[in-house]
Amino acid sequence: MTRFYHEDLGEWVVYHDFYLGLDLGKAADHSAVSVVEEPVWLDSDWSWTLDGGVTPGEEPLHGWVSVDRLRNVHQLAEARRINLTHGRPSGPPLRVRHLKRYELRTPYRDVVGEVAEMLRRPPLARTDVALLMDKGNAGTAVSEMFAHVGVRAIPVLIHGGHQTAYDRSDGTYKVPKRDLVEAAQVALQNRRLEISSALPDARILIQELKDFRGTVSEAGNDRYEAREREHDDLVLSLSMAVWFREYRTRNIETTMARRRGVAAM
């Protein structure tokens, strides 16, 4: 785990390597999971500090480097330390590494079991993963299932209001649906969100992002949803992951960009 002490906030902030979003489907909806990676930045001046180098035949580490390219968890921790200490470019790419839409009516216990197994295998094993889970539907029961197998899930309660809030009593983030989806849409528009066409459900995900649109209800609340007869499970699982990354690191980004500017002077 990489932690960063933010002087302005006066607290330690955990820096994650992967963000896993899990949207839980109801009877007529699919459950879906998305995994987003934040790579590390390495200047050529710092590559040599990673003991052991790279895989024989590969170029020296430079630029935005995926976690897979680093030999072990110690190299990853050192790379993150270099970023936090010496700074790096702002706005890192966010790489979608895994997508899956489950069959309708897949039991939640099967979803929990598969996600828990993913966390035990590379590339997620031995890295710091934030698991964001839709608290609606059966969220509380599914959280207990995860806890039973030793996995901590961060609950996200999606609503149609305007304010984001954090409930310290149970660790729930209460987030407007608009904010979730816009985080993913903005990252995609800014070419930061990298979705490989090789992923089985990549085409469906991109279409879901395009299909989302916002309306306002008579009560004045946002209604941000897919077009009629379309699903939104993949886009919500991705949006939770991207939103949490952007929300939790918004202050870190400013600090690292400033430190990089000072180091370059």
Side-chain angles (χ1 to χ4, degrees):
M1 177 184 296
T2 304
R3 296 198 307 163
F4 172 78
Y5 187 77
H6 196 283
E7 296 178 357
D8 295 337
L9 298 177
E11 64 182 29
W12 289 92
V13 179
V14 175
Y15 203 95
H16 302 285
D17 305 307
F18 290 93
Y19 301 85
L20 189 155
L22 175 62
D23 182 53
L24 298 172
K26 295 179 288 189
D29 295 309
H30 301 268
S31 292
V33 63
S34 301
V35 177
V36 176
E37 176 198 13
E38 179 176 339
V40 295
W41 172 265
L42 287 178
D43 288 324
S44 56
D45 293 341
W46 297 108
S47 295
W48 63 271
T49 65
L50 298 183
D51 184 43
V54 297
T55 303
E58 292 187 349
E59 294 294 321
L61 295 173
H62 179 63
W64 293 111
V65 179
S66 287
V67 170
D68 309 64
R69 295 285 311 280
L70 303 175
R71 286 181 178 271
N72 53 54
V73 68
H74 303 294
Q75 279 197 345
L76 176 57
E78 176 65 6
R80 292 290 186 204
R81 186 195 67 79
I82 290 171
N83 282 188
L84 294 170
T85 303
H86 301 281
R88 58 142 172 78
S90 60
L94 301 176
R95 296 171 177 166
V96 181
R97 298 291 302 272
H98 178 80
L99 292 172
K100 181 171 181 177
R101 167 181 277 172
Y102 291 88
E103 294 293 331
L104 288 175
R105 298 180 179 83
T106 298
Y108 292 140
R109 63 177 177 276
D110 292 351
V111 175
V112 169
E114 184 170 315
V115 170
E117 182 60 27
M118 285 174 56
L119 295 172
R120 300 187 189 103
R121 299 194 311 261
L124 303 186
R126 296 184 299 172
T127 63
D128 193 85
V129 183
L131 167 55
L132 291 308
M133 188 199 68
D134 171 22
K135 190 179 181 180
N137 303 328
T140 301
V142 175
S143 289
E144 293 175 355
M145 293 182 194
F146 275 120
H148 184 71
V149 295
V151 174
R152 176 179 178 269
I154 302 171
V156 177
L157 183 62
I158 304 171
H159 62 82
H162 304 281
Q163 298 295 324
T164 294
Y166 178 66
D167 188 342
R168 292 183 178 274
S169 65
D170 63 358
T172 297
Y173 286 87
K174 302 176 181 179
V175 190
K177 194 173 189 178
R178 173 191 59 188
D179 291 0
L180 290 177
V181 178
E182 285 185 352
Q185 289 177 327
V186 168
L188 182 66
Q189 292 165 4
N190 292 341
R191 299 176 182 262
R192 289 182 54 220
L193 188 60
E194 300 179 358
I195 307 172
S196 171
S197 59
L199 292 171
D201 292 316
R203 180 186 58 80
I204 297 174
L205 171 62
I206 293 174
Q207 190 60 48
E208 282 188 6
L209 279 170
K210 292 178 179 178
D211 284 345
F212 257 75
R213 67 191 191 280
T215 60
V216 179
S217 70
E218 294 182 359
N221 292 326
D222 285 342
R223 295 183 60 189
Y224 224 78
E225 56 193 9
R227 292 174 183 164
E228 187 177 0
R229 296 185 300 277
E230 296 292 342
H231 296 288
D232 61 4
D233 41 89
L234 277 174
V235 76
L236 284 180
S237 68
L238 175 71
S239 296
M240 282 188 285
V242 174
W243 173 85
F244 187 77
R245 188 273 159 198
E246 303 290 76
Y247 183 78
R248 288 286 290 169
T249 63
R250 62 196 187 283
N251 295 312
I252 296 177
E253 284 296 316
T254 302
T255 299
M256 284 196 286
R258 182 176 69 245
R259 288 180 175 178
R260 179 175 171 80
V262 171
M265 294 177 61

